[in-house]
Amino acid sequence: MKKKLIKFYPLIPVFTVYILLFFIGKNVPGMWQLVAMLLFYCALGQAFNIFLGMTGYVDFGYVAFMGVGTYGMALAITRLASIEELGIGIIVAGFALALLMSTLLSLAVGAVALRLRGAYFAIATIGVNEGLRFLIEGARIWNGSEGLIFVSDINNILGRDTADALMTFWADVMVLVIAALAAVVTLYYMRSKIGYALTALREDEDAAKVMGINVTKYKIIAFITSSCFAGLIGAASWALKTPYVFPPEVFEIQYTIEAIIIVLLGGAGTLLGPVAGGLIYGISKYYLAVYVPGFQLLIFAPIIIVIITLFPEGILGMLKNRFQNTGLAHFII
Amino acid sequence: MPLLKLENVTKRFGGLIAVNRVNLEIKAGQFIGIVGPNGSGKTTLFNIVNGVFFPEEGKVIFEDQNITILPPYKRAPLGIARTFQIPRPFCGATVRENIAVGAMFGTHGRYVNVDESLEIADNTIKRVGLRKHRDKPAGILTPVEKKLMEIARALAMKPKLLLMDEAMAGMHPNDIDRMVDFIKKIATEEKIAIVAMVEHIMRALLGMAEKIIVLHHGAKLVDAPTKEALEDPKVVEVYLGKNTKK
Ligand SMILES: Nc1ncnc2c1ncn2[C@@H]1O[C@H](COP(=O)(O)OP(=O)(O)OP(=O)(O)O)[C@@H](O)[C@H]1O
Ligand SMILES: [Mg+2]
């Protein structure tokens, strides 16, 4: 029984961070904006880690799934706005559509691109992101480059007060829930055959095959899972917080880069790493923008390079080594 | 019914014929030695058996099933396991996790869960004497330990056929003795067919073999019971000037 419980210990530090963040944001005046940003980066890191961290493959088109998720929510709200009885159910429908669209896209991309190795995969995925954006703009899909604006729809369906609360508070809480869910799924994968297969293929894909691992299948599992979480984050953090969607914004490659930095900073393939990475990245970005506006990147880039050089396995890799063979080892993975 | 049968297998790399019309039969539980100098096609032959390469000509038949173009990950569950000439551990994973992977996706992979696989790994670790390295990342093991770990990982797959590519290459003589003892032990304890490939004629190892196959320039030069094969003048010729003693 105790052994069973020990398996879940690593979730304790993760959830502690999220709960602390929530209470700080809720109770310290003026902090919610920072907390929301941190939750977003933690969620992003946690979601991307399931693919990047666990498989070692770099998806430069990751933001496309956030974009598609944002569109999912936006489409559900704009198309179903006339059905008044739906009420808050429209948000549920939005998440369902976001999930469906990111699943379909990841299936399509994964089935083709995941047959490519390492660098070729990375290059192919850049194409996916840009291609999708130009397709939407060029073929005028979903209102093309004019995007979708649905503030008034949300206000109409939910009423002003609820809509305000949703945009300024509940959307961020949803991001928190998504981050927590991603952590649970990550731990579940790590403890199941999926995690072992992913570790094996990340370390040596050919040896993994010879040992009976259907590497394509497991890569696709990780890819779809990770992409679905990206879709949910897009739907919650982008569509609901700021109820409009423009292609250049939701297919902005900067977010993919940020996700990569967070995962590497914190420790790829670990559970707690993306949380640590998200916090460090978010806090530095926020305060650098406040104190040295305009020079953030100039200071930020060297900081990241130094950290990644000092701790090649991320913050978590360092912590794991330090607390190896101590009671804390059960919590840090 | 032979466990493994190769029929006229040929594998080319561009103009080079790495494996040339090789016929081969291995029965269940047999210990077979394959010998051949550098570049004679031993590793390539393994790669054909476990599916890393598909041959241009010929057939690979395992337990009456034609597996010539079956992908490697489908062959492992049939009971084909191997070790690599240059060890390929999953470096970032612990020794225990490495071996558990073998149990999880090997012959009985479908029927064992993660906990059972870890248990199998623990038992196998004891047998190969890697107990004190159990929780270390496999990447930091010494080359000999890596070889042992690979064998353990392969054994955890519960294979019917174990292909060992140069289990002793580049080892210190003391380690060679340890390794030979270990292979002898598993050959007698496990009911699996073992094919051991070596570059040189190592009597210590080949003495155990029921038969020996000698490869030369990709073709089968000799296929005979051990004693006969070792005394074959053609074999001596191939190894002329090479270490044919131990
Ligand atoms: N992937 C490959 N591409 C091209 N040529 C290859 C490849 N693999 C092997 N060869 C060539 O095929 C021939 C047989 O190589 P193989 O590795 O099977 O020999 P070997 O008997 O295992 O030798 P060694 O004792 O050096 O391990 C060699 O000439 C080698 O250069
Ligand atoms: Mg070889």
Side-chain angles (χ1 to χ4, degrees):
Chain A
M1 187 61 211
K2 179 136 187 278
K3 221 174 150 197
K4 280 239 151 69
L5 275 181
I6 282 186
K7 286 187 174 176
F8 299 104
Y9 281 8
L11 284 175
I12 296 174
V14 177
F15 286 179
T16 308
V17 169
Y18 291 154
I19 292 168
L20 270 177
L21 277 179
F22 178 80
F23 279 106
I24 292 172
K26 192 122 189 356
N27 297 316
V28 183
M31 281 302 265
W32 187 255
Q33 198 196 345
L34 171 62
V35 163
M37 178 172 155
L38 296 179
L39 287 173
F40 170 77
Y41 282 127
C42 288
L44 183 61
Q46 203 114 58
F48 197 31
N49 181 51
I50 297 174
F51 183 67
L52 171 71
M54 298 187 87
T55 66
Y57 274 70
V58 188
D59 174 8
F60 277 112
Y62 193 59
V63 68
F65 298 103
M66 301 171 75
V68 163
T70 314
Y71 269 104
M73 181 62 82
L75 288 169
I77 292 176
T78 49
R79 302 289 140 95
L80 302 176
S82 54
I83 313 172
E84 270 173 29
E85 311 81 70
L86 225 46
I88 205 83
I90 201 164
I91 307 295
V92 179
F95 277 117
L97 191 58
L99 214 49
L100 179 71
M101 286 168 61
S102 37
T103 307
L104 290 179
L105 181 64
S106 60
L107 261 176
V109 175
V112 180
L114 280 174
R115 292 172 197 282
L116 303 170
R117 280 288 173 96
Y120 299 100
F121 172 83
I123 292 164
T125 52
I126 299 183
V128 170
N129 187 38
E130 297 304 302
L132 202 62
R133 179 186 147 187
F134 286 117
L135 181 71
I136 291 174
E137 290 178 344
R140 297 196 46 81
I141 297 167
W142 305 325
N143 221 20
S145 49
E146 277 136 61
L148 298 167
I149 303 173
F150 45 97
V151 195
S152 55
D153 290 325
I154 291 198
N155 280 332
N156 287 343
I157 301 167
L158 302 179
R160 247 225 145 73
D161 293 341
T162 318
D164 274 349
L166 177 69
M167 287 183 251
T168 55
F169 178 71
W170 290 108
D172 299 314
V173 175
M174 287 173 199
V175 174
L176 185 155
V177 173
I178 294 165
L181 266 178
V184 173
V185 170
T186 305
L187 187 64
Y188 170 74
Y189 278 9
M190 288 171 121
R191 300 292 199 217
S192 68
K193 286 190 185 180
I194 298 172
Y196 284 82
L198 293 174
T199 306
L201 78 88
R202 182 185 64 205
E203 299 290 328
D204 189 331
E205 196 161 332
D206 291 315
K209 279 186 200 164
V210 166
M211 300 204 52
I213 297 171
N214 182 349
V215 293
T216 309
K217 170 178 137 187
Y218 288 102
K219 279 189 280 185
I220 289 185
I221 291 177
F223 191 60
I224 293 180
T225 311
S226 180
S227 306
C228 281
F229 277 112
L232 292 176
I233 295 171
S237 187
W238 288 353
L240 292 181
K241 248 171 98 92
T242 48
Y244 52 78
V245 39
F246 299 119
E249 285 185 8
V250 295
F251 292 108
E252 172 59 75
I253 194 163
Q254 176 207 330
Y255 293 102
T256 306
I257 309 288
E258 289 186 314
I260 295 173
I261 293 173
I262 290 167
V263 171
L264 296 187
L265 205 61
T270 64
L271 177 69
L272 200 49
V275 182
L279 291 181
I280 295 172
Y281 183 84
I283 290 171
S284 335
K285 185 174 167 172
Y286 186 84
Y287 284 107
L288 285 175
V290 172
Y291 293 114
V292 281
F295 292 95
Q296 301 96 299
L297 254 182
L298 214 59
I299 301 176
F300 207 19
I303 293 181
I304 288 170
I305 292 170
V306 167
I307 296 186
I308 292 182
T309 323
L310 282 181
F311 312 119
E313 287 172 52
I315 308 282
L316 249 278
M318 183 264 293
L319 289 179
K320 257 197 210 163
N321 283 337
R322 177 154 308 172
F323 293 107
Q324 205 181 23
N325 306 325
T326 70
L328 282 178
H330 288 302
F331 296 91
I332 306 173
I333 66 163
Chain B
M1 169 184 84
L3 182 67
L4 174 75
K5 199 168 163 196
L6 300 187
E7 286 177 12
N8 260 317
V9 167
T10 298
K11 174 72 198 166
R12 297 190 189 89
F13 294 110
L16 179 98
I17 306 181
V19 172
N20 193 0
R21 303 175 71 77
V22 169
N23 288 288
L24 192 75
E25 261 189 33
I26 296 166
K27 294 197 201 74
Q30 235 181 358
F31 190 116
I32 290 192
I34 297 190
V35 198
N38 284 130
S40 55
K42 303 180 297 289
T43 300
T44 307
L45 197 65
F46 268 15
N47 283 332
I48 287 169
V49 174
N50 74 183
V52 175
F53 300 139
F54 298 153
E56 276 89 32
E57 284 160 38
K59 275 191 211 163
V60 184
I61 292 162
F62 190 77
E63 291 192 314
D64 278 349
Q65 187 188 344
N66 186 342
I67 60 165
T68 314
I69 52 163
L70 199 68
Y73 74 86
K74 288 188 179 164
R75 299 188 193 205
L78 298 179
I80 301 177
R82 77 174 285 179
T83 65
F84 294 92
Q85 182 163 357
I86 298 160
R88 299 176 75 162
F90 304 126
C91 290
T94 65
V95 170
R96 188 180 189 228
E97 288 163 348
N98 264 272
I99 298 173
V101 167
M104 250 174 250
F105 300 97
T107 315
H108 302 301
R110 219 173 293 172
Y111 311 104
V112 294
N113 62 29
V114 171
D115 287 333
E116 288 158 352
S117 303
L118 289 168
E119 221 167 277
I120 296 173
D122 287 339
N123 291 332
T124 319
I125 285 170
K126 275 184 218 151
R127 289 185 54 201
V128 298
L130 286 175
R131 213 182 311 191
K132 46 173 210 290
H133 305 296
R134 194 187 88 154
D135 297 312
K136 288 186 192 160
I140 65 169
L141 297 179
T142 64
V144 184
E145 288 160 356
K146 281 184 187 161
K147 286 265 184 197
L148 283 169
M149 196 220 66
E150 275 206 342
I151 295 178
R153 194 170 65 175
L155 288 178
M157 294 168 75
K158 289 262 168 264
K160 294 174 187 159
L161 175 66
L162 172 60
L163 308 164
M164 283 198 286
D165 199 353
E166 305 279 2
M168 269 144 305
M171 274 190 195
H172 187 271
N174 294 344
D175 293 328
I176 291 188
D177 290 344
R178 188 176 153 201
M179 203 67 180
V180 168
D181 286 344
F182 176 63
I183 294 172
K184 276 186 175 160
K185 196 173 142 217
I186 58 172
T188 45
E189 284 176 7
E190 309 264 336
K191 288 191 172 47
I192 56 181
I194 297 179
V195 182
M197 304 240 167
V198 282
E199 179 193 335
H200 301 301
I201 296 185
M202 300 186 54
R203 287 180 198 279
L205 180 69
L206 298 176
M208 293 186 284
E210 275 175 51
K211 69 169 177 179
I212 290 181
I213 290 160
V214 183
L215 285 183
H216 191 45
H217 295 317
K220 206 167 74 171
L221 190 70
V222 175
D223 182 344
T226 307
K227 205 158 162 293
E228 252 173 72
L230 291 178
E231 282 159 11
D232 194 308
K234 278 183 281 184
V235 176
V236 179
E237 204 175 298
V238 168
Y239 281 99
L240 209 64
K242 288 213 171 194
N243 172 16
T244 52
K245 284 201 307 291
K246 194 179 164 176

